[in-house]
């Protein structure tokens, strides 16, 4: 058991959230030795992508205007394509449902707690959690076979969705600057909840020899990228 | 004003629903002379596709099992791709929002009345309305320019979504045969509501010279295809 599991996300985050470095690709080498179990890795990723699909759908359904619905609709297509890709990867060797079933209830709970109080929080949640999880799973995928690793990293490239979500939030904050402090607070809570998902994904792999020292720099980089995303919206991480 | 507009969908449907012909492609020639106004045509189509996206999303979110969510997720991707294609076509010559804004409230009402009482009705609604509307708009697109016509017909090819929805309904009815009579009733109501959307789409075009005689055979064929879809599920149309 690594020391991460004895700390709350807030304790872990306190020092990390001060980071204000230059943008940096997340250090993939450090996590590569963790060798995640393939089905558990892809199964949890598929569960999280299904949760992103439901969140994106909800964002379209509850958007405050027809304009916003149309702007967000491509996000639904992008995250559902990614989910299908992961399910296809899983299906090549195993029943996707077998890999997902035991993990899904806990991801449903993640979906519930990250849905937010209103549409603005939901959109920030999508932006923050898809960004954090893409960074994390891209790094963690380094321990898969080279073929799986490259496929997973391709599926995690959600740049177009990120661009749309960023623009939507920027527009919303410009129209209503009072949103900023509430969304900043919400972003801090989201990063904690999302890190918990990451620890869970690393759980078994971490038990097989990874040390907290190996994981910590990676998490620092992932949170650094998160801070830059929040900064770009003028929100204090 | 053609005589269609003086009749309720139920009056129009009564004789049509008896049709039990062989499968037939909808006669496209008859509607081709209606020459729909391009922006109104594409604008209403985009509104209906957005409504389909919301219905498909809702079907994933409310599905009774993880299995069903995964089976339905590709439908969300398929209908959102189609919506994006139509918005892109509209955007080539005009602001998509301008074309959609005045038409959207009435499509929202369509979405509301066709959502059904539960998940099974929602899934049948998606199956029935996407099938009917694809047949209708494919025929009606004959009056657009050849380039627009071919693009619209390509966007309307939702065979993969139809196959998924059919299989889902077949499975549900096999598991719970008592669903059949309720879904048959719901299907009859859906066809009425969907035909109303078609009349609305034809409204302006029909005022410019089309006769009820020209429209009636096309609607007969569209409803015939609907009847065959319902038959394939063992439901009486």
């Amino acid at each position: 058991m690594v020391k991460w599991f004895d700390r709350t996300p807030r304790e872990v985050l306190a020092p990390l959230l001060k980071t204000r470095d230059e943008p940096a690709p997340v250090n993939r080498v450090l996590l590569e030795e963790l060798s995640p179990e393939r089905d558990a890795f892809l199964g949890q990723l598929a569960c999280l992508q299904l949760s992103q699909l439901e969140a994106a759908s909800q964002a379209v359904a509850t958007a405050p205007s027809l304009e916003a619905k149309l702007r967000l609709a491509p996000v639904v297509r992008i995250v559902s394509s990614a989910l299908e890709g992961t399910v296809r990867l899983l299906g090549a060797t195993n029943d996707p449902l077998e890999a997902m079933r035991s993990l899904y209830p806990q991801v449903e709970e993640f979906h519930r707690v990250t849905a937010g109080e209103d549409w603005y929080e939901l959109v920030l949640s999508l932006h923050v959690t898809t960004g954090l999880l893409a960074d994390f799973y891209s790094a963690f995928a380094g321990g898969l076979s080279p073929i799986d690793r490259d496929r997973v990293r391709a599926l995690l490239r959600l740049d177009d969705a990120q661009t749309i979500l960023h623009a939507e939030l920027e527009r919303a904050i410009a129209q209503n600057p009072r949103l900023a402090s509430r969304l900043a607070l919400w972003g801090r809570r989201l990063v904690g909840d999302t890190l918990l998902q990451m620890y869970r994904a690393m759980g078994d792999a971490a038990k097989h020899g990874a040390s907290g020292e190996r994981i910590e720099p990676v998490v620092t980089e992932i949170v650094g990228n998160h801070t830059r995303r929040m900064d770009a919206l003028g929100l204090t991480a």
Side-chain angles (χ1 to χ4, degrees), chain A:
Chain A
M1 202 64 144
V2 297
K3 64 175 176 174
W4 288 97
F5 296 89
D6 305 323
R7 297 159 69 190
T8 67
R10 203 160 296 274
E11 287 173 312
V12 172
L13 281 175
L16 301 175
L17 288 173
K18 298 206 179 73
T19 320
R20 282 290 188 286
D21 303 322
E22 285 301 295
V26 171
N27 190 329
R28 292 169 165 182
V29 179
L30 290 160
L31 272 186
E32 279 182 8
E33 288 165 44
L34 283 185
S35 300
E37 201 271 301
R38 185 182 188 273
D39 279 359
F41 178 98
L42 294 175
Q44 204 203 18
L45 179 57
C47 287
L48 287 163
Q49 288 169 324
L50 176 57
S51 161
Q52 288 168 1
L53 168 57
E54 295 194 27
S57 299
Q58 201 184 335
V60 170
T62 60
S65 67
L66 176 59
E67 290 87 324
K69 280 176 192 279
L70 287 183
R71 286 191 301 258
L72 287 174
V75 176
V76 176
R77 191 244 318 141
I78 293 166
V79 296
S80 51
S81 293
L83 166 64
E84 281 179 74
T86 305
V87 169
R88 213 173 296 122
L89 266 185
L90 261 175
T93 56
N94 208 331
D95 177 4
L97 278 166
E98 283 308 308
M100 294 173 71
R101 198 175 276 122
S102 67
L103 303 164
Y104 186 64
Q106 177 267 319
V107 174
E108 264 192 315
E109 172 66 11
F110 172 66
H111 177 58
R112 201 187 57 73
V113 298
T114 58
E117 289 292 323
D118 64 6
W119 182 77
Y120 302 97
E121 291 190 4
L122 177 64
V123 175
L124 183 66
S125 177
L126 258 172
H127 184 51
V128 162
T129 63
T130 54
L132 283 165
L133 292 167
D135 282 347
F136 168 73
Y137 279 96
S138 282
F140 199 31
L144 298 173
S145 74
I147 292 176
D148 282 340
R149 176 197 66 203
D150 294 346
R151 285 187 183 150
V152 165
R153 286 183 181 165
L155 291 172
L156 288 167
R157 249 172 249 126
L158 301 179
D159 300 354
D160 290 348
Q162 287 284 304
T163 303
I164 293 169
L165 295 165
H166 171 88
E168 203 58 43
L169 289 161
E170 203 169 44
R171 182 180 284 114
I173 295 166
Q175 282 172 1
N176 181 6
R178 291 193 316 163
L179 271 175
S181 61
R182 178 157 67 89
L183 289 181
L185 199 68
W186 178 237
R188 286 197 285 281
R189 171 158 164 204
L190 285 171
V191 72
D193 288 326
T194 312
L195 283 182
L196 268 179
Q197 293 294 313
M198 297 181 196
Y199 302 148
R200 225 159 239 143
M202 286 189 290
D204 288 333
K207 278 177 210 150
H208 297 112
S211 69
E213 286 66 33
R214 187 172 290 145
I215 297 170
E216 188 141 356
V218 180
V219 176
T220 304
E221 286 169 345
I222 291 172
V223 175
N225 283 349
H226 164 73
T227 304
R228 278 182 285 279
R229 272 189 290 272
M230 295 291 278
D231 278 350
L233 289 167
L235 301 177
T236 311

